[in-house]
Amino acid sequence: MNEYVTNLILKNAETTVDPELKKFRDEYRQKGVPTLLTESLNLLIMFATMKKPLKILEFGTSVGCSGIALLKASENAELYTIERYEKSYFEAKENFEKFGLSGRVHQFLGDALDVVDEVGDGFDFVFLDCNKSKYKDLYPKIKGLLRSGGILFADNVLFRGYITGEVKAPHRHNTIKNNMREFLRLISEDGDFITTVSDVGDGVSVSYKK
Ligand SMILES: C[S@@+](CC[C@H](N)C(=O)[O-])C[C@H]1O[C@@H](n2cnc3c(N)ncnc32)[C@H](O)[C@@H]1O
């Protein structure tokens, strides 16, 4: 792609992400903590801003960056967020407090597949960003928890080019590759959803439940 246009696209994404949030995200990225790429974060914020959800479910809290972004973009929303790693769970708790958002957050500690039955239902926005090989197993559960008119936003669906085959997946990532392909097949062929898959960041799918 033309370098000028590429930079322009990235710059546009950067300017729409809140500077305080960007600084917070950048500090963690520098420490090697995985958080959303700017382009994907920008798209997530855009969908949340348009949807104005009241009840958000997130898989993969990490240290809270995407959760904070979702809450800032959706001022009337409550966030239900699941993390299996205790250290991240507590760090996210501190971060939600720092941003003055704790009152709107319900954190769950445990594996997504075990905890998902405890979070309630009636969600109008789901952000899927945990273990990539679990998306396909979580999908039927998410479908049941999502309201009609709700959005499922999933990150890393093209995982490093391995899913399309553009980049050959190392053997150790074969399960992720096969399971993610199955997830994409499931959401794309499900007549109850309208789905679009794009190569933004590490690949993003957005599905609208009819
Ligand atoms: C890519 S990071 C999430 C980044 C975060 N959403 C953000 O953008 O700030 C993935 C997180 O999911 C957590 N995770 C992975 N598999 C999980 C599972 N099966 N259940 C719950 N959490 C999981 C990891 O510990 C990690 O913190």
Side-chain angles (χ1 to χ4, degrees):
M1 201 199 270
N2 176 291
E3 198 182 333
Y4 171 77
V5 179
T6 308
N7 289 336
L8 193 72
I9 293 167
L10 293 177
K11 191 164 170 288
N12 277 347
E14 296 229 326
T15 49
T16 50
V17 175
D18 174 312
E20 192 191 6
L21 182 67
K22 191 178 169 302
K23 183 168 172 282
F24 167 77
R25 197 278 319 257
D26 288 349
E27 281 167 11
Y28 275 110
R29 279 190 85 81
Q30 276 156 20
K31 286 190 246 170
V33 175
T35 59
L36 278 168
L37 293 165
T38 308
E39 315 88 279
S40 320
L41 181 60
N42 185 49
L43 196 65
L44 181 73
I45 290 170
M46 190 175 141
F47 273 98
T49 305
M50 290 191 301
K51 175 64 192 159
K52 300 183 178 59
L54 296 177
K55 207 172 165 187
I56 302 170
L57 175 60
E58 176 182 59
F59 293 89
T61 320
S62 186
V63 294
C65 177
S66 50
I68 291 165
L70 284 164
L71 287 170
K72 281 180 148 237
S74 327
E75 57 184 25
N76 295 316
E78 302 225 341
L79 174 74
Y80 294 70
T81 182
I82 305 173
E83 172 58 53
R84 71 175 171 191
Y85 186 36
E86 205 171 327
K87 189 168 178 290
S88 302
Y89 169 92
F90 284 110
E91 194 150 350
K93 193 175 265 309
E94 276 180 26
N95 288 330
F96 290 130
E97 267 161 29
K98 268 187 211 156
F99 276 81
L101 295 167
S102 319
R104 294 200 278 141
V105 181
H106 309 265
Q107 286 186 259
F108 295 82
L109 178 63
D111 189 274
L113 274 165
D114 300 331
V115 175
V116 66
D117 294 325
E118 296 168 23
V119 297
D121 56 11
F123 292 93
D124 46 10
F125 199 101
V126 174
F127 176 43
L128 186 51
D129 193 23
C130 62
N131 186 339
K132 315 305 156 216
S133 60
K134 294 282 162 53
Y135 285 20
K136 83 170 176 63
D137 297 331
L138 286 166
Y139 173 67
K141 301 260 184 194
I142 292 170
K143 186 174 174 181
L145 301 177
L146 196 59
R147 275 176 192 273
S148 169
I151 286 173
L152 164 59
F153 187 110
D155 192 31
N156 309 103
V157 299
L158 300 180
F159 194 54
R160 304 175 184 173
Y162 301 160
I163 312 305
T164 56
E166 196 183 326
V167 179
K168 189 174 164 19
H171 188 68
R172 69 180 189 285
H173 286 318
N174 273 346
T175 306
I176 292 183
K177 181 183 75 181
N178 294 332
N179 289 2
M180 191 60 91
R181 282 179 180 170
E182 178 60 7
F183 169 73
L184 291 177
R185 189 189 68 74
L186 286 169
I187 52 166
S188 304
E189 292 183 2
D190 190 331
D192 293 332
F193 284 92
I194 300 169
T195 290
T196 180
V197 180
S198 94
D199 65 356
V200 170
D202 194 30
V204 163
S205 68
V206 183
S207 307
Y208 172 84
K209 189 171 176 191
K210 294 183 205 165

